[in-house]
Amino acid sequence: MNIDSIVYFARELSGDVETNINGTPYTILSRHKNQPGNDKAADYIQQKLEYYGLEVFNQSFGSIGRNVYGVQTGTDYPNQKYIICAHYDDMPSGTLAPGADDNGSGTAAVLETARVLSQQQFPFTIIYALWDEEEQGLIGSAYYAANAASQGDSILGVINQDMIAWDDNDDGNADVHTKSVGESHALKDKMLEVNLTYEIGLDLDVIDPGEPYSDHQSFWNNGFTAILLIEDDNDFNNYYHTTNDLFIHYNQPYYEKMAKLSAATLATLALNLDMRISHTPIASRDNTEDIQTSAEIITGLTIGSGNAAPRLYYRLSQGNEWSEFFEVIGSEANINTTYNFTIPGQSLGTIVQYYIAAQDDQESIIVTLPMGGSGYNPPGNIPPEEFFQFFVATTNIAFSDSAMNADSWTATGNWNITTEKFVSEPSSFA
Ligand SMILES: [Zn+2]
């Protein structure tokens, strides 16, 4: 992703600079559906997507509605699709409607993603889609999604971007909207993970259930996996739907991060760079025996071996402090995607925190559980911010000395006292 390129697209779309559409100079002054500039914007989008070598479709609906999308066919799974999208139409309704943030920003980000990713091959099909008539009630995306549903399309995930360049207080905060539809939560998790793995540096809030006010809702309505990436709702664009929604109000470093996050999430998924760790957290125990646990690594890639083999890292409470992390190398179980780990027995009164990490043999992806760790060879040598934890203690000690008065234990977060029957959630300790 190139900030100069993406910003230039946004300036062309919002009339900040003149562009050239099919050989003729043109300045896009309004992308309201009833203005001639909107159809010109669609021509501009089509021209860009064709230039990148994509197969481009114009999808007409209503009297003048026009979605434009480019298709990059997957090499292994051509019928399974990821969609990255934005609406290109805007408000207000007059002859002047720059819509730089809403939604020139999302549109330019999709085009820049197409420019970069169209040079690569992906196992899954990618669709770069720009919707029309979002402002009249998600009409373009609803038309597409309903069609896709009725013809049984296999849409694995939709990343919608709508208003991604405004960050007036410069806090790097953005919202990811998700909902219990399809695998939307897993898609949201992947975006959060990509933000950490690639150190993009956004401060992401999850909105669940997400708001219905942009094109992702059209996909939710048809049962498809979808998320929305959008600016912080508490730092709202002052010029929303006005003739002052101009490029000069962009926070460019923020915009670049937002565009990168969407593109990197899409690329990770479309490259089948997916890797997940499935693990039942270790329960607290009242004995000092060795602690056995296991994790399943789910991926289409080859799991690393040797120095790249899955790891479990644990640390121990020591008075007010934590020990360093100790490393346990996973050993392959009979089912070769499952790995066993043995933590040595600990004395009663110990709190143990731990996380699990895995990478592929080509060093294309590293995942930790809880998420957020990084580093290759060994995987996860940089810990996440949250850990699983359990207690090695007699029930008596845990309840009378610890939970009740906290004299014998030191921690700075919630206790989450556990028994054999209750397993603690991941929790963060200083
Ligand atoms: Zn919008």
Side-chain angles (χ1 to χ4, degrees):
M1 307 290 278
N2 181 309
I3 185 64
D4 296 328
S5 159
I6 186 172
V7 155
Y8 199 77
F9 295 163
R11 294 180 66 192
E12 289 181 303
L13 283 159
S14 61
D16 195 63
V17 291
E18 184 182 80
T19 183
N20 189 300
I21 297 170
N22 298 323
T24 307
Y26 190 86
T27 302
I28 300 170
L29 294 177
S30 172
R31 301 190 315 278
H32 184 268
K33 70 167 258 195
N34 291 329
Q35 296 294 328
N38 198 42
D39 207 39
K40 290 291 186 185
D43 289 345
Y44 169 90
I45 291 162
Q46 175 176 354
Q47 170 181 285
K48 278 264 184 284
L49 295 175
E50 283 174 348
Y51 183 72
Y52 302 143
L54 302 168
E55 190 180 2
V56 180
F57 295 86
N58 282 281
Q59 183 181 48
S60 300
F61 58 90
S63 52
I64 53 169
R66 177 182 172 192
N67 294 328
V68 185
Y69 59 94
V71 177
Q72 182 174 356
T73 303
T75 51
D76 296 351
Y77 312 104
N79 295 323
Q80 301 191 46
K81 309 163 185 178
Y82 285 100
I83 298 178
I84 187 161
C85 64
H87 73 87
Y88 70 90
D89 69 306
D90 75 0
M91 292 289 270
S93 58
T95 53
L96 198 60
D101 189 34
D102 183 14
N103 186 22
S105 62
T107 303
V110 171
L111 293 178
E112 175 66 358
T113 303
R115 184 183 73 81
V116 174
L117 299 190
S118 59
Q119 307 311 306
Q120 314 291 329
Q121 289 199 324
F122 292 87
F124 292 106
T125 288
I126 299 175
I127 297 180
Y128 308 90
L130 288 312
W131 316 119
D132 195 7
E133 297 190 17
E134 186 268 357
E135 303 290 4
Q136 285 71 40
L138 321 178
I139 297 174
S141 59
Y143 185 82
Y144 181 95
N147 260 336
S150 70
Q151 65 195 36
D153 273 13
S154 176
I155 297 173
L156 302 179
V158 177
I159 298 172
N160 179 32
Q161 304 168 91
D162 192 355
M163 303 176 72
I164 57 169
W166 174 273
D167 184 18
D168 200 37
N169 61 16
D170 205 25
D171 64 356
N173 187 279
D175 293 344
V176 182
H177 292 247
T178 182
K179 198 172 183 175
S180 293
V181 178
E183 300 289 322
S184 299
H185 290 328
L187 181 56
K188 171 264 296 175
D189 284 343
K190 183 55 65 178
M191 181 169 267
L192 300 185
E193 182 187 300
V194 164
N195 183 47
L196 296 170
T197 305
Y198 296 98
E199 297 177 346
I200 291 172
L202 287 164
D203 172 26
L204 299 175
D205 291 336
V206 173
I207 313 294
D208 177 24
E211 300 286 347
Y213 50 53
S214 185
D215 296 301
H216 56 287
Q217 179 66 39
S218 296
F219 291 89
W220 287 345
N221 285 343
N222 287 280
F224 291 120
T225 295
I227 55 173
L228 165 70
L229 178 67
I230 188 169
E231 302 146 6
D232 177 12
D233 193 38
N234 298 310
D235 178 14
F236 197 71
N237 191 324
N238 294 339
Y239 309 106
Y240 174 65
H241 285 185
T242 73
T243 55
N244 273 320
D245 181 1
L246 297 169
F247 164 72
I248 52 167
H249 303 304
Y250 272 25
N251 181 327
Q252 288 193 35
Y254 175 81
Y255 180 38
E256 184 179 16
K257 288 177 188 175
M258 296 285 271
K260 273 186 176 166
L261 176 63
S262 294
T265 304
L266 172 75
T268 300
L269 293 164
L271 276 172
N272 207 11
L273 286 183
D274 208 17
M275 182 176 273
R276 287 188 298 122
I277 302 173
S278 172
H279 167 67
T280 303
I282 302 171
S284 289
R285 60 206 49 240
D286 59 3
N287 63 65
T288 59
E289 292 160 20
D290 283 359
I291 300 152
Q292 316 281 351
T293 192
S294 67
E296 187 184 359
I297 317 293
I298 302 147
T299 182
L301 303 172
T302 304
I303 300 166
S305 57
N307 197 32
R311 295 292 197 274
L312 181 152
Y313 299 86
Y314 68 94
R315 65 180 186 177
L316 308 169
S317 57
Q318 294 181 332
N320 294 330
E321 316 245 301
W322 289 99
S323 71
E324 290 177 46
F325 277 105
F326 302 101
E327 184 181 329
V328 177
I329 300 171
S331 62
E332 272 182 69
N334 288 336
I335 313 158
N336 61 10
T337 55
T338 296
Y339 289 78
N340 294 326
F341 304 92
T342 303
I343 299 174
Q346 301 296 330
S347 54
L348 296 177
T350 306
I351 310 173
V352 183
Q353 293 192 336
Y354 72 100
Y355 65 100
I356 297 171
Q359 70 176 78
D360 70 304
D361 64 342
Q362 299 296 311
E363 297 176 35
S364 7
I365 189 165
I366 179 269
V367 291
T368 65
L369 190 74
M371 73 169 81
S374 57
Y376 292 105
N377 305 318
N381 54 66
I382 299 164
E385 290 182 2
E386 296 189 331
F387 312 103
F388 295 109
Q389 74 169 17
F390 62 89
F391 296 80
V392 180
T394 64
T395 308
N396 186 36
I397 290 171
F399 281 89
S400 64
D401 288 348
S402 306
M404 302 309 288
N405 58 35
D407 280 351
S408 311
W409 300 77
T410 305
T412 56
N414 294 324
W415 274 98
N416 292 335
I417 290 294
T418 56
T419 70
E420 293 285 335
K421 289 179 183 162
F422 179 79
V423 172
S424 68
E425 292 295 311
S427 58
S428 178
F429 279 68

